[in-house]
């Protein structure tokens, strides 16, 4: 048991003897800034002075008189009512055996009913992860591990942007590299993907489908896009697993789009939406944003912002 918690429980026991019911979580224990004032200090006398008074100093004296002081070499009361604790050396050493006994569970929090969803990384499935994604992965997973250790019920979620222009550009980029393998010139879109991963995926499609996908039509592009995105996502999962990170949930933008959630969100936000040159903008400046944000483009496509709002 942590020294701070032990101190809190001893204070609560003393208050119980004095006829006061006080929750452990409400007891404040601070590290003393000056060793001359002890190892720890508490201002609990101020919190219960109304019940015990007449002054915090008198209250502090009553608390100390009813405390088990076996852990302390000395307990002092400082004006106007602080209690300073000086710990015995052996009481500080006693925690070592507890740490050894508890091993990896030392400090683990009690299981809580609160559920927390942590969504992190969520890189678009259009290429390999880079060092920026690795930073987010380490940060998010560390947070999840710490909060899980503290007793919270944690879900790790990866949100997959598998719709929109970036996905269409991935499919077109794969198609162009696929055609290149048959001697045709690759016309990669301006916002396309030039990485080696796209070339590798195109080669895999050539080996699997041979020349069956050479015709530039919606059916072939949809197949290349869908399967190409899956390969990119599988690569991301593989890299994350190698990095020691696995997710509990993968949420997909296409599921949000097909569920009707975006149309519902648009209806709910209608009072805060206006049109400008055919596009729809959300009046986020009403909520301290520096400018209003487009949520539907002039061609009817959704911006990133709208599906993300629906997702949340």
């Amino acid at each position: 048991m942590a020294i701070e918690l032990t101190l809190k429980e001893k204070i609560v026991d003393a208050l119980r003897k004095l006829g006061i019911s006080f929750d452990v979580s409400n007891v404040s224990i601070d590290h003393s800034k000056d060793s001359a004032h002890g190892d720890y200090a508490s201002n609990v006398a101020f919190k219960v002075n109304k019940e015990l008074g007449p002054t915090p100093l008198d209250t502090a004296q009553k608390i100390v008189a009813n405390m088990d002081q076996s852990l302390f070499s000395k307990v002092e009361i400082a004006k106007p009512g602080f209690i300073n604790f000086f710990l015995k050396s052996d009481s500080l050493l006693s925690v070592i055996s507890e740490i050894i006994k508890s091993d990896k569970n030392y400090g683990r929090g009690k299981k809580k009913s609160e559920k927390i969803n942590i969504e992190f990384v969520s890189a678009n499935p259009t290429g390999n992860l880079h060092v920026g994604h690795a930073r987010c992965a380490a940060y998010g997973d560390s947070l999840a591990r710490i909060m899980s250790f503290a007793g919270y019920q944690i879900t790790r979620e990866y949100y997959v942007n598998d719709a929109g222009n970036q996905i269409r550009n991935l499919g077109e980029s794969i198609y162009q590299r696929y055609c290149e393998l048959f001697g045709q010139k690759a016309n990669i879109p301006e916002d396309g993907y030039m990485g080696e991963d796209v070339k590798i995926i195109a080669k895999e499609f050539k080996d699997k489908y041979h020349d069956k996908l050479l015709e530039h039509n919606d059916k072939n592009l949809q197949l290349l896009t869908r399967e190409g995105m899956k390969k990119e996502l599988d690569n991301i999962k593989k890299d994350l697993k190698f990095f020691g990170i696995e997710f509990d949930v993968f949420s997909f933008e296409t599921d949000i789009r097909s569920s009707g959630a975006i149309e519902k969100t648009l209806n709910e936000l209608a009072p805060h939406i206006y049109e400008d040159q055919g596009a729809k903008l959300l009046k986020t400046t009403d909520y301290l944003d520096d400018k209003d944000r487009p949520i539907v483009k002039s061609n009817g496509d959704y911006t990133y912002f709208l599906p993300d709002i629906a997702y949340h």
Side-chain angles (χ1 to χ4, degrees):
M1 184 183 296
I3 293 292
E4 290 91 340
L5 182 56
T6 302
L7 284 174
K8 290 181 179 183
E9 290 184 345
K10 288 187 178 297
I11 290 171
V12 168
D13 286 341
L15 291 172
R16 191 178 296 114
K17 292 176 184 176
L18 291 166
I20 295 176
S21 178
F22 202 73
D23 193 89
V24 170
S25 63
N26 292 326
V27 179
S28 298
I29 296 291
D30 298 310
H31 285 277
S32 299
K33 295 179 180 179
D34 187 343
S35 60
H37 299 149
D39 300 294
Y40 294 96
S42 178
N43 63 355
V44 67
F46 297 91
K47 295 184 177 181
V48 296
N49 186 60
K50 286 185 178 179
E51 291 89 338
L52 292 176
T55 68
L57 197 63
D58 295 318
T59 297
Q61 290 170 346
K62 292 174 184 176
I63 293 171
V64 171
N66 284 275
M67 277 189 71
D68 170 15
Q69 298 186 25
S70 58
L71 284 178
F72 315 119
S73 61
K74 183 170 59 173
V75 179
E76 284 185 348
I77 298 170
K79 293 182 179 180
F82 293 100
I83 305 174
N84 296 331
F85 301 96
F86 297 77
L87 292 170
K88 293 179 180 177
S89 297
D90 57 354
S91 66
L92 291 171
L93 295 173
S94 64
V95 74
I96 295 175
S97 59
E98 185 180 341
I99 292 171
I100 294 171
K101 182 180 178 181
S102 301
D103 196 26
K104 293 181 179 179
N105 287 315
Y106 179 73
R108 184 180 293 278
K110 293 180 180 179
K111 187 174 181 179
K112 301 174 177 61
S113 60
E114 188 173 357
K115 298 179 180 179
I116 297 177
N117 185 81
I118 301 179
E119 181 255 314
F120 61 106
V121 183
S122 298
N124 289 342
T126 54
N128 295 324
L129 298 178
H130 54 62
V131 68
H133 298 134
R135 178 186 183 277
C136 293
Y139 190 102
D141 192 62
S142 295
L143 180 62
R145 289 170 187 263
I146 290 167
M147 298 191 77
S148 179
F149 193 81
Y152 296 98
Q153 298 181 50
I154 300 299
T155 297
R156 293 167 171 84
E157 180 174 5
Y158 190 116
Y159 178 65
V160 184
N161 289 104
D162 61 336
N165 280 334
Q166 81 281 0
I167 297 299
R168 284 193 290 269
N169 286 332
L170 173 66
E172 184 64 34
S173 300
I174 293 172
Y175 173 78
Q176 293 297 332
R177 290 302 187 190
Y178 170 79
C179 291
E180 188 177 47
L181 295 172
F182 291 93
Q184 300 182 24
K185 183 181 178 181
N187 296 310
I188 307 296
E190 183 179 349
D191 295 325
Y193 298 93
M194 308 293 290
E196 287 297 315
D197 54 303
V198 174
K199 294 180 181 179
I200 293 170
I201 291 172
K203 177 64 167 59
E204 291 174 355
F205 284 140
K206 180 178 182 290
D207 294 340
K208 180 178 180 179
Y209 294 105
H210 307 293
D211 62 354
K212 295 179 181 179
L213 305 178
L214 282 173
E215 185 178 342
H216 192 275
N217 57 43
D218 289 342
K219 181 181 178 181
N220 288 342
L221 283 174
Q222 286 173 10
L223 185 150
L224 289 167
T225 301
R226 183 177 64 253
E227 293 193 16
M229 187 208 68
K230 184 179 182 303
K231 287 179 181 293
E232 293 283 20
L233 186 58
D234 286 344
N235 286 336
I236 288 172
K237 291 179 180 179
K238 182 180 177 181
D239 286 345
L240 287 169
K241 187 174 182 179
F242 179 75
F243 198 42
I245 298 171
E246 295 190 61
F247 285 85
D248 304 303
V249 175
F250 283 83
S251 297
F252 293 84
E253 182 181 342
T254 48
D255 291 338
I256 293 173
R257 287 175 180 254
S258 64
S259 70
I262 293 179
E263 290 74 17
K264 180 183 177 183
T265 300
L266 274 172
N267 288 332
E268 291 176 351
L269 294 175
H272 308 282
I273 295 173
Y274 66 94
E275 289 198 16
D276 183 26
Q277 298 180 358
K280 292 184 178 180
L281 281 77
L282 187 65
K283 292 188 285 185
T284 53
T285 50
D286 288 350
Y287 300 91
L288 306 182
D289 199 357
D290 60 335
K291 62 181 179 181
D292 293 335
R293 304 289 169 170
I295 54 175
V296 181
K297 301 176 184 178
S298 57
N299 65 0
D301 287 346
Y302 302 139
T303 65
Y304 273 122
F305 201 25
L306 183 56
D308 283 354
I309 295 171
Y311 159 69
H312 282 89

